[in-house]
Amino acid sequence: MKIAIYGYGNLGRGVEFAVKQNPDTELFGIFTRRPPENVKPAFAETKVFPAADITNYKNDIDVLIICGGSATDLPEMTPALAADFNVIDSFDTHADIPKHFVAVDEAAKKGDKVAVISVGWDPGMFSLNRLYANAILPEGKDYTFWGKGVSQGHSDAIRRIEGVLDARQYTIPVQSALDSVRAGENPDLTTREKHTRLCYVVASEEADKARIEREIKTMPKYFSDYDTTVNFISQEELDRDHKGIPHGGFVIRTGKTGKDNGSNHVIEYSLKLDSNPEFTASVLVAFARAAYRMSARGDSGCKTVFDIAPVDLSAKTREQVIAEML
Amino acid sequence: MKIAIYGYGNLGRGVEFAVKQNPDTELFGIFTRRPPENVKPAFAETKVFPAADITNYKNDIDVLIICGGSATDLPEMTPALAADFNVIDSFDTHADIPKHFVAVDEAAKKGDKVAVISVGWDPGMFSLNRLYANAILPEGKDYTFWGKGVSQGHSDAIRRIEGVLDARQYTIPVQSALDSVRAGENPDLTTREKHTRLCYVVASEEADKARIEREIKTMPKYFSDYDTTVNFISQEELDRDHKGIPHGGFVIRTGKTGKDNGSNHVIEYSLKLDSNPEFTASVLVAFARAAYRMSARGDSGCKTVFDIAPVDLSAKTREQVIAEML
């Protein structure tokens, strides 16, 4: 199965590594909107092509993994490319998924291709766990906690404040809230009760740190609804201690069954990831395999993680997974 | 969707409750090999039929949930019934699943029916999590821990010892082993290092407790490879403190990605269940829905949890799950 990467940032680089780990995938190359000579792949043998030429390679690529941003890239790229390629994206603006689905579905059906959208861990693996848990326990309550992990969006928001040179923001689940959920207490939790925000900020020498801290803590949507801690550190400290892009989180459903709903159950799925983009990339490659197989069977249109039988994600045969994993 | 229960013990009773919780399922009735008047359903309106008459109701039942034991019941019942009904079972003798699959597949294909075998939590939800995690992280290591929970098989084994009136055995994961796995240390764990066994035993007055304890602790396969604790208690204490059938466990995969495999990831799925049979029953009902839909689409043959697209498990429409859970 020949996989190509469209867009080469942290996520595309993660796909480049993930393709190497799988026995049945090989990398056709990277497509970039930048001048190809400006892109430095992780492996010397990886070919880089101009994005503008991609339709020349229609018959050489089995699945295209689109590694763009959800704000502006993917709403354009995925429908445009789904007419010519089997594609996967990690579109993660939850509220806009139904709209994205319709646009991609139309294109993929026109081109008789399979497109899988919103693949990753949330949306993605977390979504799957929400669905499985809801199907099993119809009477229950869902909780999703994120972190401890770096939020790129929140880090960027801090960097836009005057006097800030660099910043890194961690989203941290509140342990007592997690404990209460796991204990089956079914708490109603406010935004503030679920997560705290921890910021490491590099300020310019002349900047008013009190003002920066105030601007962060009162920023609507991003910080004002949370208990936020701001630590000022040096650029050296930020580079040394906060270079990684870890993330993770917890999907928990608690529910009741039996006589008088007397039995309590807790289903929990959690991820602890050293690298958010590398893990997301690994999920993308597994679903690329499914897209390839579904397309080979004559299927077409837009799919989500909900539509894909788990066996299609595995490099192993159906007989193998039944014998080894069931 | 009309569901029938075949076999009425703890599991069948769990199905009777679970069917009530779902908006799109109704219970046709219970089929039993006992005299029907000896079966006391949880709900007065539940009808009880003799198992021998079941083929008379071929056209009235959409899915039959077979609630028998894996040792002797299911290897006979499931292939026999799969020719006439869409069926689900919870066959859980892992090593014999491939053989069971072949027998059920042949029958179901002959009858143009869908059969889903080995549904529950292990095999079942734990299997699904092993498969998803392996597909995402090809380079990694799997761990399954069970407990804290009651093992019926081990409790039965103790009860067969001379002088034992009653017994309850708990399987308990070793916390330090769990911690090591979660920390990404990839330990190689022996049987003894993963689980301990805790036994509550009611002995007859004249019995030699030292002998009973020795017989338990040295019992091959069941206890000899474990650190086992034996507590003698009264029947009143057993009935008061150990009446429930709780269980649960953990499926963890740790893996590496990226440059020089430098990033570590931990995927963990866990269950904490007050009632093992009620939870298993709830999983069975969700997969009954999928069997019904697959059959309605013209599919047939034996399926496992790996073959079923998650969307088919939900009572909600595809549009709803995309909007609400993705």
Side-chain angles (χ1 to χ4, degrees), chain A residues 1 3-6 11 15 62-68 74 77-78 81-82 85-91 100 104 113-120 280-294 302-305 308 313:
Chain A
M1 175 179 27
I3 288 178
I5 297 166
Y6 192 91
L11 186 60
V15 172
D62 292 316
V63 187
L64 184 62
I65 301 183
I66 310 178
C67 301
L74 296 176
M77 286 177 182
T78 309
L81 292 162
F85 299 92
N86 296 316
V87 297
I88 311 281
D89 79 19
S90 60
F91 185 77
H100 188 55
V104 174
K113 298 290 179 186
V114 169
V116 192
I117 61 163
S118 301
V119 174
T280 301
S282 296
V283 181
L284 287 166
V285 171
F287 280 88
R289 175 178 295 120
Y292 174 63
R293 291 181 182 170
M294 293 168 94
C302 187
K303 313 290 175 188
T304 72
V305 294
I308 290 168
L313 302 173

Side-chain angles (χ1 to χ4, degrees), chain B:
Chain B
M1 176 179 24
K2 287 205 182 71
I3 288 177
I5 297 167
Y6 193 92
Y8 193 75
N10 285 328
L11 186 61
R13 193 175 165 88
V15 171
E16 194 185 357
F17 283 111
V19 166
K20 284 261 184 213
Q21 286 194 334
N22 283 278
D24 56 343
T25 56
E26 73 181 80
L27 190 64
F28 179 79
I30 294 164
F31 288 84
T32 179
R33 290 177 295 179
R34 290 179 273 163
E37 61 276 16
N38 289 3
V39 168
K40 293 280 159 284
F43 299 101
E45 69 266 30
T46 300
K47 291 188 190 130
V48 183
F49 304 90
D53 293 352
I54 193 159
T55 46
N56 299 345
Y57 303 95
K58 268 176 75 156
N59 300 319
D60 304 308
I61 296 166
D62 292 314
V63 187
L64 184 62
I65 301 183
I66 309 178
C67 301
S70 294
T72 55
D73 293 341
L74 297 176
E76 292 206 356
M77 287 177 181
T78 311
L81 293 162
D84 291 317
F85 298 92
N86 297 316
V87 297
I88 311 280
D89 79 19
S90 59
F91 185 77
D92 68 358
T93 313
H94 289 261
D96 296 336
I97 290 173
K99 195 177 140 200
H100 189 54
F101 182 95
V102 170
V104 175
D105 194 47
E106 194 181 284
K109 279 185 176 148
K110 202 172 286 173
D112 202 20
K113 297 291 178 184
V114 169
V116 191
I117 61 163
S118 300
V119 174
W121 60 274
D122 195 4
M125 296 312 299
F126 275 18
S127 321
L128 280 169
N129 277 280
R130 285 188 282 263
L131 191 150
Y132 277 117
N134 273 270
I136 296 169
L137 296 176
E139 298 186 17
K141 202 163 163 161
D142 289 309
Y143 297 89
T144 302
F145 292 88
W146 294 274
K148 181 184 176 176
V150 170
S151 164
Q152 304 275 19
H154 287 77
S155 302
D156 291 345
I158 298 172
R159 279 190 214 102
R160 286 191 292 264
I161 293 173
E162 198 193 319
V164 172
L165 299 177
D166 205 350
R168 188 55 55 105
Q169 193 270 179
Y170 294 92
T171 303
I172 303 171
V174 174
Q175 188 62 44
S176 59
L178 257 175
D179 291 343
S180 169
V181 169
R182 285 185 182 138
E185 293 168 3
N186 292 320
D188 289 312
L189 297 166
T190 63
T191 298
R192 191 177 299 274
E193 286 166 339
K194 286 182 72 184
H195 298 95
T196 57
R197 299 202 175 277
L198 176 60
C199 314
Y200 292 94
V201 180
V202 182
S204 64
E205 253 178 61
E206 66 284 5
D208 176 354
K209 290 180 180 171
R211 173 192 52 82
I212 291 173
E213 180 164 346
R214 200 168 54 238
E215 283 193 36
I216 294 172
K217 289 184 170 177
T218 58
M219 196 185 296
K221 268 175 64 182
Y222 285 87
F223 293 100
S224 62
D225 294 337
Y226 300 84
D227 289 335
T228 301
T229 305
V230 177
N231 295 318
F232 289 94
I233 61 176
S234 68
Q235 186 73 53
E236 292 67 41
E237 287 170 305
L238 192 86
D239 293 343
R240 186 190 66 207
D241 302 333
H242 305 283
K243 231 182 65 178
I245 320 175
H247 220 312
F250 307 82
V251 172
I252 304 175
R253 184 168 175 86
T254 55
K256 293 169 182 298
T257 64
K259 190 171 156 59
D260 305 325
N261 270 347
S263 305
N264 292 297
H265 307 285
V266 182
I267 305 175
E268 176 170 341
Y269 180 78
S270 70
L271 296 172
K272 201 169 65 186
L273 313 174
D274 270 1
S275 166
N276 184 351
E278 286 174 15
F279 187 83
T280 301
S282 296
V283 180
L284 287 166
V285 171
F287 280 88
R289 175 179 294 119
Y292 174 63
R293 290 181 183 170
M294 293 169 93
S295 175
R297 290 197 297 261
D299 206 340
S300 70
C302 186
K303 313 289 175 188
T304 72
V305 294
F306 299 150
D307 301 309
I308 290 167
V311 68
D312 275 334
L313 302 172
S314 176
K316 301 191 175 195
T317 65
R318 189 177 182 220
E319 289 65 33
Q320 276 180 305
V321 294
I322 289 174
E324 295 170 18
M325 294 184 203
L326 193 59

Side-chain angles (χ1 to χ4, degrees), chain A residues 131-142:
Chain A
L131 191 150
Y132 277 117
N134 273 270
I136 296 169
L137 297 175
E139 297 186 17
K141 201 162 164 161
D142 289 311

Side-chain angles (χ1 to χ4, degrees), chain A residues 119 167 169 201 235 263 304:
Chain A
V119 174
Q169 194 269 178
V201 180
Q235 186 73 54
S263 305
T304 72

Side-chain angles (χ1 to χ4, degrees), chain A residues 13 30 34 57-58 125 129 190 217 223 227 246 250 254 257 278 282 291 308 318:
Chain A
R13 192 175 166 87
I30 294 164
R34 291 178 272 164
Y57 302 96
K58 270 177 72 157
M125 296 313 299
N129 276 280
T190 64
K217 289 185 170 176
F223 293 100
D227 290 335
F250 307 82
T254 55
T257 65
E278 287 173 15
S282 296
I308 290 168
R318 188 177 182 220

